[in-house]
Amino acid sequence: ATRERVHQAAAQLGYRPNRVARSLSTGRTGNIGLVLPDIANPFFPGVVKAVQRRAREFDLAVLLADTDEDPAAELELIRTMTKQVDGFLLCCPRASDEDLRFVSGDTPVVFVNRRVGHLPSVSFDSADGIRQAIAHLAALGHRRVAYVAGPRGSWVNRERLRSIRSVATAMDLEVVEAGNVIPTLEGGIAVADQILAASVTAVIAFNDMIGLGLLSGFNARGVKVPADISVVGFDNIPTAGLVNPPLTSVDMPKEQCGRSAVELLVQLLNDREGRAGSRRLLPTQLIVRGSTGPAART
């Protein structure tokens, strides 16, 4: 009864707890850090919004940092923010496994779209996404396919490259590897001529931004998509379905990813001993649109 009267009085007075004062008694800041490689990449806003919504439900604030795809800047930002947060969500980190293990030794960390040993992580089933994309292209008669690789330091890129080699071999497809390129529209445009010179009938891009850049580069050369060459992207960003032709892409459940990452971090904050084995693998789904079609005759 006393508690209820206190809550009613607080509500009437518009009282809000002081986070600094609370941190002195609880040892927690009420903040979590979300570190991204490039906030300008359209893949990340969906994750960020989901993280913020779920964190708010746990009465947590989110501090956001952008590393500009720089592993050294990433580690420095983490060190700088450590005393300001209770834990980190590291999204697509570019640092080495060794450095990331060291970071997680002192501060609770959940890796997003990256796996580091058995440390807590939320990742996407890129291998199945690659399998769906290759099977789709094979069914359309494609036998020589290019893969445009993303950043050299990207764990996701390494996983996709390993998967595409394995699946293509199993389906008797030849793969031409190009890159590594920056995962932007400009990166895709820059590699378009290299793809055309490779005499492939289809190309799978590391992400949708590279895929959209390829569409632009092909259009500038008078190459028709998908009549002359098919294009598949990854991430299914909002603009993928708005271009002409709309981009076939592997969808990644970004909202589910953000929510799951926060839930794992809260679990870790409440039970530091439960950190091992806390990994979630989210499904992927190929969204077929107008940028893929039957293989052109070569």
Side-chain angles (χ1 to χ4, degrees):
T2 301
R3 184 184 299 111
E4 285 301 317
R5 289 198 298 273
V6 170
H7 287 170
Q8 290 175 9
Q12 291 172 359
L13 294 170
Y15 171 77
R16 293 291 182 273
N18 185 300
R19 284 186 178 272
V20 176
R22 178 186 287 178
S23 69
L24 295 175
S25 61
T26 64
R28 293 189 179 182
T29 65
N31 303 323
I32 60 174
L34 175 58
V35 182
L36 309 172
D38 181 10
I39 191 59
N41 186 326
F43 169 80
F44 293 114
V47 176
V48 173
K49 289 184 73 66
V51 165
Q52 290 190 143
R53 277 195 299 269
R54 191 65 175 125
R56 196 175 299 120
E57 294 171 5
F58 286 108
D59 195 27
L60 294 170
V62 180
L63 306 185
L64 180 64
D66 184 334
T67 70
D68 286 325
E69 299 276 358
D70 184 344
E74 182 175 82
L75 294 173
E76 183 59 33
L77 279 168
I78 292 170
R79 281 191 286 266
T80 300
M81 296 171 65
T82 294
K83 293 185 178 180
Q84 303 172 45
V85 301
D86 299 322
F88 285 101
L89 302 179
L90 302 184
C91 197
C92 304
R94 304 307 192 208
S96 68
D97 282 7
E98 182 180 2
D99 285 335
L100 293 174
R101 285 193 184 95
F102 180 79
V103 166
S104 66
D106 296 327
T107 308
V109 172
V110 171
F111 297 98
V112 181
N113 212 16
R114 170 81 181 261
R115 290 198 298 271
V116 180
H118 294 288
L119 295 176
S121 67
V122 178
S123 57
F124 302 101
D125 194 349
S126 287
D128 189 55
I130 287 289
R131 182 196 61 76
Q132 293 176 57
I134 291 290
H136 171 62
L137 293 174
L140 291 170
H142 297 276
R143 290 294 176 266
R144 182 174 166 84
V145 177
Y147 173 69
V148 178
R152 193 176 303 278
S154 167
W155 174 86
V156 173
N157 181 66
R158 292 194 296 272
E159 288 295 298
R160 289 181 186 164
L161 190 54
R162 180 162 41 243
S163 296
I164 201 169
R165 288 169 178 168
S166 174
V167 175
T169 298
M171 294 189 180
D172 197 28
L173 267 69
E174 183 181 359
V175 175
V176 175
E177 299 171 14
N180 304 88
V181 304
I182 56 174
T184 62
L185 188 72
E186 292 76 16
I189 293 172
V191 79
D193 285 340
Q194 181 181 347
I195 298 302
L196 293 177
S199 299
V200 297
T201 60
V203 53
I204 299 175
F206 167 75
N207 71 352
D208 283 348
M209 292 304 292
I210 293 175
L212 295 175
L214 287 169
L215 292 181
S216 178
F218 294 156
N219 182 64
R221 298 292 185 271
V223 176
K224 296 179 180 179
V225 177
D228 298 325
I229 189 169
S230 289
V231 182
V232 178
F234 251 90
D235 296 344
N236 194 32
I237 62 175
T239 51
L242 302 179
V243 294
N244 185 27
L247 181 66
T248 293
S249 182
V250 178
D251 181 63
M252 321 285 268
K254 294 171 275 296
E255 181 172 349
Q256 185 181 355
C257 172
R259 293 179 63 86
S260 295
V262 173
E263 291 163 3
L264 271 184
L265 183 56
V266 169
Q267 174 186 320
L268 184 57
L269 291 171
N270 293 334
D271 180 16
R272 291 298 299 273
E273 299 303 319
R275 62 192 309 171
S278 300
R279 299 194 299 179
R280 298 185 186 180
L281 183 65
L282 304 181
T284 54
Q285 178 65 51
L286 180 70
I287 308 298
V288 177
R289 298 192 179 97
S291 67
T292 51
R297 294 183 179 180
T298 57

